[in-house]
Amino acid sequence: MSTSKPSANPSVSDILATMDYGPNPESADLAQAWLSHHARHFGVFIGGRWLSGKTSFDSINPANGQTLCTLTQA
């Protein structure tokens, strides 16, 4: 831990080096409900309509490795 006085205008690297991390207060419940409402599958939006394509891929949650939804490749 540094005992020097903080700069009046710290650099980004100074801020990141001294930043404390705590628990995330947000809940993923609202986002998960929205994904579920849309059946966790998304096409492409073209000409005011959602269209399905031939190729799709999974979007993975980096926190746990689980699939969030399936997206159509455009």
Side-chain angles (χ1 to χ4, degrees):
M1 178 178 227
S2 175
T3 58
S4 63
K5 183 178 177 183
S7 169
N9 295 312
S11 69
V12 172
S13 60
D14 291 338
I15 293 169
L16 292 175
T18 60
M19 196 162 74
D20 290 329
Y21 291 94
N24 183 356
E26 294 88 9
S27 171
D29 293 344
L30 185 60
Q32 292 291 343
W34 185 85
L35 289 168
S36 293
H37 175 76
H38 293 282
R40 295 181 180 269
H41 185 85
F42 299 92
V44 291
F45 194 72
I46 299 174
R49 299 184 319 160
W50 285 102
L51 305 171
S52 294
K54 294 180 182 179
T55 306
S56 62
F57 61 96
D58 291 339
S59 176
I60 305 298
N61 181 343
N64 60 21
Q66 295 178 344
T67 299
L68 287 169
C69 63
T70 302
L71 304 167
T72 298
Q73 184 172 332

